[in-house]
Amino acid sequence: MDELINRITANVGIDADTAQKAVGAILAFLAKEGPADKVKEMLAAVPDSDALLAQAPADGMLSMGGVMGLGQKLMGMGLGMGEISGVAKETVGYARENGGGDAVDEIVASIPGLSQFV
């Protein structure tokens, strides 16, 4: 987990606490929206993914779903569009590099609108 968070803080320019919460939110979104078998494979490629998922903020009563809902949640953490895109690209890239490439590609392809952010 530290490697991914350090990479995000260096390349995106956000603090480690926000990076952990943002990655948790992205992984929770993928777990909710993506095909379960592929998500399980991808999560296995992200060390300490359970700890990151636990840091994801809970959905609020007025939360919308899909990619827009994820964007709303990440903006609520104080992230701008460039930072959201950066965190998403780093997270997905990290999962790909650590052996989850095919699973990640299938997850991204299965969620409408996600490919434009990763």
Side-chain angles (χ1 to χ4, degrees):
M1 170 171 66
D2 289 341
E3 182 182 347
L4 173 58
I5 299 307
N6 291 338
R7 186 164 140 173
I8 290 170
T9 59
N11 295 338
V12 180
I14 61 175
D15 65 86
D17 184 54
T18 302
Q20 288 176 354
K21 290 176 183 170
V23 171
I26 290 168
L27 294 178
F29 168 77
L30 296 175
K32 180 180 176 186
E33 301 286 331
D37 60 329
K38 297 301 175 185
V39 170
K40 183 177 178 180
E41 187 178 328
M42 181 204 62
L43 291 176
V46 178
D48 298 323
S49 58
D50 290 341
L52 291 165
L53 283 165
Q55 293 191 36
D59 289 336
M61 287 179 53
L62 300 176
S63 290
M64 62 178 85
V67 172
M68 295 303 291
L70 175 61
Q72 175 187 35
K73 185 178 289 188
L74 295 171
M75 283 187 259
M77 293 178 201
L79 299 177
M81 289 305 293
E83 293 164 326
I84 291 170
S85 179
V87 172
K89 287 177 181 175
E90 292 292 344
T91 302
V92 167
Y94 184 80
R96 279 187 179 117
E97 292 163 17
N98 285 286
D102 291 339
V104 169
D105 292 340
E106 289 187 44
I107 293 165
V108 170
S110 75
I111 301 173
L114 184 60
S115 62
Q116 66 186 355
F117 296 102
V118 297

